[in-house]
Coordinates of all heavy atoms in Angstrom, one line a residue:
Y1 N -17.1 36.7 -7.7 CA -17.9 35.4 -7.6 C -17.6 34.8 -6.0 O -18.6 34.5 -5.4 CB -17.7 34.4 -8.6 CG -18.6 33.2 -8.3 CD1 -19.8 33.1 -8.5 CD2 -17.9 32.0 -7.9 CE1 -20.6 31.9 -8.3 CE2 -18.6 30.8 -7.6 CZ -19.9 30.8 -7.9 OH -20.7 29.6 -7.6
I2 N -16.4 34.7 -5.8 CA -16.0 34.2 -4.4 C -16.1 35.3 -3.4 O -16.6 34.9 -2.2 CB -14.5 33.7 -4.4 CG1 -14.3 32.9 -3.2 CG2 -13.6 34.8 -4.6 CD1 -15.2 31.6 -3.1
D3 N -15.9 36.6 -3.6 CA -15.9 37.6 -2.6 C -17.4 38.1 -2.3 O -17.5 38.6 -1.1 CB -15.2 38.7 -3.1 CG -14.8 39.7 -2.0 OD1 -14.0 39.4 -1.1 OD2 -15.3 40.9 -2.1
G4 N -18.3 37.9 -3.2 CA -19.6 38.5 -3.0 C -20.6 37.7 -2.3 O -20.4 36.4 -2.0
G5 N -21.9 38.3 -1.9 CA -22.9 37.5 -1.4 C -24.1 37.9 -2.0 O -24.2 38.2 -3.1
S6 N -25.2 37.6 -1.3 CA -26.6 37.8 -1.9 C -27.2 39.1 -1.4 O -27.0 39.6 -0.5 CB -27.5 36.6 -1.5 OG -27.7 36.7 -0.1
Y7 N -28.1 39.5 -2.3 CA -28.7 40.7 -2.2 C -27.9 41.9 -1.8 O -26.9 42.3 -2.5 CB -30.0 40.6 -1.2 CG -31.0 39.5 -1.6 CD1 -30.8 38.2 -1.3 CD2 -32.0 39.9 -2.4 CE1 -31.7 37.2 -1.7 CE2 -32.9 38.9 -2.8 CZ -32.8 37.6 -2.5 OH -33.7 36.7 -2.8
A8 N -28.1 42.7 -0.7 CA -27.4 43.8 -0.2 C -26.0 43.4 0.6 O -25.4 44.1 1.0 CB -28.2 44.7 0.6
E9 N -25.9 42.0 0.7 CA -24.7 41.5 1.4 C -24.6 41.9 2.8 O -23.5 42.0 3.4 CB -23.4 41.8 0.6 CG -23.4 41.4 -0.8 CD -22.1 41.6 -1.5 OE1 -21.3 42.3 -1.0 OE2 -22.0 41.2 -2.7
T10 N -25.7 42.0 3.5 CA -25.8 42.4 4.8 C -25.3 41.2 5.7 O -24.5 41.3 6.6 CB -27.2 42.8 5.3 OG1 -27.7 43.8 4.5 CG2 -27.3 43.1 6.8
T11 N -25.8 40.0 5.5 CA -25.3 38.9 6.2 C -23.9 38.7 6.0 O -23.2 38.2 6.9 CB -26.3 37.7 5.9 OG1 -27.6 37.9 6.3 CG2 -25.7 36.4 6.7
L12 N -23.4 38.8 4.7 CA -22.1 38.5 4.5 C -21.2 39.5 5.4 O -20.2 39.0 6.0 CB -21.8 38.9 3.0 CG -20.4 39.0 2.5 CD1 -19.7 37.7 2.6 CD2 -20.2 39.5 1.1
S13 N -21.6 40.7 5.5 CA -20.8 41.7 6.3 C -20.9 41.3 7.8 O -19.8 41.2 8.5 CB -21.4 43.1 6.1 OG -20.7 43.9 6.9
R14 N -22.0 40.9 8.2 CA -22.3 40.7 9.7 C -21.6 39.4 10.2 O -21.1 39.2 11.3 CB -23.8 40.5 9.9 CG -24.5 41.8 10.0 CD -25.9 41.8 10.3 NE -26.6 42.9 10.3 CZ -28.0 43.1 10.2 NH1 -28.8 42.0 10.0 NH2 -28.5 44.3 10.2
N15 N -21.4 38.5 9.2 CA -20.6 37.2 9.5 C -19.2 37.6 10.1 O -18.8 37.1 11.1 CB -20.5 36.4 8.4 CG -21.6 35.5 8.0 OD1 -22.4 35.2 8.8 ND2 -21.7 35.1 6.6
C16 N -18.6 38.6 9.5 CA -17.3 39.0 10.0 C -17.3 40.0 11.2 O -16.6 39.9 12.2 CB -16.5 39.6 8.8 SG -16.1 38.5 7.5
T17 N -18.2 41.0 11.1 CA -18.4 42.0 12.1 C -18.8 41.5 13.5 O -18.2 41.8 14.6 CB -19.1 43.2 11.7 OG1 -20.4 42.7 11.4 CG2 -18.5 43.9 10.5
D18 N -19.8 40.5 13.4 CA -20.3 40.1 14.7 C -19.2 39.1 15.2 O -19.1 39.0 16.5 CB -21.6 39.1 14.4 CG -22.7 40.0 14.1 OD1 -22.8 41.3 14.2 OD2 -23.8 39.4 13.6
L19 N -18.5 38.5 14.4 CA -17.4 37.5 15.0 C -16.2 38.3 15.6 O -15.8 38.1 16.7 CB -16.9 36.6 13.9 CG -16.0 35.5 14.3 CD1 -16.5 34.6 15.4 CD2 -15.7 34.6 13.1
A20 N -15.9 39.4 15.0 CA -14.8 40.3 15.5 C -15.4 41.0 16.8 O -14.5 41.3 17.6 CB -14.5 41.4 14.4
D21 N -16.6 41.1 17.1 CA -17.1 41.7 18.3 C -17.1 40.8 19.5 O -17.4 41.2 20.6 CB -18.6 42.3 18.1 CG -18.6 43.4 17.2 OD1 -17.5 44.1 17.1 OD2 -19.7 43.7 16.7
V22 N -16.8 39.4 19.3 CA -16.8 38.4 20.3 C -15.4 38.7 21.1 O -14.3 38.6 20.6 CB -16.8 37.1 19.9 CG1 -16.7 36.1 21.0 CG2 -18.1 36.8 19.3
A23 N -15.4 39.1 22.3 CA -14.3 39.6 23.0 C -13.6 38.5 23.8 O -14.4 37.8 24.7 CB -14.5 40.7 24.0
L24 N -12.4 38.2 23.7 CA -11.7 37.2 24.4 C -11.3 37.6 25.7 O -11.0 38.8 26.0 CB -10.5 36.7 23.6 CG -10.9 36.0 22.2 CD1 -9.5 35.9 21.5 CD2 -11.5 34.7 22.4
K25 N -11.2 36.8 26.7 CA -10.8 37.1 28.0 C -9.3 36.7 28.2 O -8.9 35.5 28.2 CB -11.6 36.4 29.1 CG -11.3 36.7 30.5 CD -11.9 35.9 31.6 CE -13.5 36.0 31.4 NZ -14.2 35.2 32.5
Q26 N -8.5 37.8 28.4 CA -7.0 37.5 28.7 C -6.7 37.1 30.0 O -7.2 37.6 31.1 CB -6.2 38.8 28.3 CG -4.7 38.6 28.4 CD -3.9 39.7 28.0 OE1 -4.0 40.0 26.7 NE2 -3.2 40.4 28.8
R27 N -5.9 36.0 30.1 CA -5.4 35.4 31.3 C -4.0 35.3 31.2 O -3.4 35.0 30.2 CB -6.1 34.0 31.6 CG -7.6 34.0 31.7 CD -8.0 34.8 32.9 NE -7.5 34.5 34.1 CZ -8.0 33.5 34.9 NH1 -9.0 32.8 34.6 NH2 -7.4 33.2 36.1
V28 N -3.1 35.5 32.4 CA -1.7 35.5 32.3 C -1.2 34.5 33.4 O -1.8 34.0 34.2 CB -1.1 36.9 32.5 CG1 -1.6 37.7 31.3 CG2 -1.6 37.5 33.8
L29 N 0.1 34.3 33.3 CA 0.9 33.5 34.2 C 0.3 32.1 34.4 O -0.1 31.6 35.5 CB 1.0 34.3 35.6 CG 1.7 35.6 35.5 CD1 1.6 36.2 36.8 CD2 3.2 35.4 35.0
R30 N -0.2 31.4 33.3 CA -0.8 30.1 33.3 C 0.1 29.0 32.9 O -0.3 27.9 32.7 CB -1.9 30.1 32.4 CG -2.9 31.4 32.6 CD -3.7 31.3 33.8 NE -4.8 30.3 33.6 CZ -5.8 30.2 34.5 NH1 -5.8 30.8 35.7 NH2 -6.7 29.2 34.3
N31 N 1.4 29.2 32.8 CA 2.3 28.1 32.3 C 1.8 27.5 31.0 O 1.4 26.4 31.0 CB 2.5 27.1 33.4 CG 3.6 26.0 33.0 OD1 4.2 26.2 31.9 ND2 3.6 25.0 33.7
M32 N 2.0 28.1 29.9 CA 1.5 27.7 28.6 C 2.6 27.0 27.9 O 2.7 27.2 26.6 CB 0.9 28.9 27.9 CG -0.3 29.5 28.6 SD -1.6 28.3 28.9 CE -2.1 27.9 27.3
S33 N 3.5 26.4 28.5 CA 4.7 25.8 27.8 C 4.2 24.6 26.8 O 4.9 24.3 25.9 CB 5.8 25.4 28.6 OG 5.3 24.4 29.7
E34 N 3.2 23.9 27.3 CA 2.6 22.9 26.5 C 1.2 23.3 26.0 O 0.3 23.5 26.8 CB 2.5 21.6 27.3 CG 3.9 21.1 27.7 CD 3.9 19.7 28.5 OE1 2.7 19.2 28.5 OE2 4.9 19.2 28.9
L35 N 1.1 23.3 24.6 CA -0.2 23.7 24.0 C -0.5 22.8 22.8 O 0.4 22.6 22.0 CB -0.1 25.1 23.6 CG -1.3 25.9 23.2 CD1 -1.1 27.5 23.5 CD2 -1.6 25.7 21.7
S36 N -1.7 22.3 22.8 CA -2.0 21.5 21.7 C -3.2 22.0 20.8 O -4.3 22.4 21.5 CB -2.4 20.1 22.2 OG -2.9 19.2 21.1
L37 N -3.1 22.0 19.6 CA -4.2 22.3 18.7 C -4.9 21.2 18.0 O -5.8 21.3 17.2 CB -3.7 23.3 17.6 CG -3.0 24.6 18.0 CD1 -2.6 25.5 16.8 CD2 -3.8 25.3 19.0
E38 N -4.4 20.0 18.4 CA -5.1 18.8 17.7 C -6.4 18.5 18.2 O -6.9 18.9 19.4 CB -4.2 17.5 18.1 CG -2.7 17.6 17.5 CD -1.9 16.4 17.8 OE1 -2.4 15.6 18.6 OE2 -0.8 16.4 17.3
T39 N -7.3 17.9 17.4 CA -8.6 17.4 17.7 C -8.9 16.2 16.9 O -8.1 15.6 16.2 CB -9.5 18.5 17.5 OG1 -10.9 18.1 18.0 CG2 -9.7 18.8 16.0
E40 N -10.1 15.6 17.2 CA -10.5 14.4 16.5 C -11.9 14.5 16.1 O -12.8 15.0 17.0 CB -10.3 13.1 17.4 CG -10.6 11.9 16.7 CD -10.1 10.6 17.5 OE1 -9.0 10.4 17.8 OE2 -11.1 9.9 17.8
L41 N -12.3 14.2 14.9 CA -13.5 14.2 14.4 C -13.9 13.0 13.7 O -13.2 12.5 12.7 CB -13.7 15.3 13.4 CG -14.2 16.8 13.9 CD1 -14.2 17.7 12.7 CD2 -15.4 16.8 14.7
F42 N -14.9 12.3 14.0 CA -15.4 11.0 13.4 C -14.2 10.0 13.2 O -13.9 9.5 12.2 CB -15.9 11.4 12.0 CG -16.9 12.4 11.9 CD1 -16.7 13.7 11.3 CD2 -18.0 12.5 12.8 CE1 -17.5 14.8 11.3 CE2 -18.9 13.6 12.9 CZ -18.7 14.8 12.1

């Protein structure tokens, strides 16, 4: 029930595969000693 999708589950599969295909750009030597994951919503 939680794992499945509708019909042939094509969109269910593409949700993950399309996202995995988004390639991140690696950058180095940027002094990342301070990093924040905080955000604010409403």
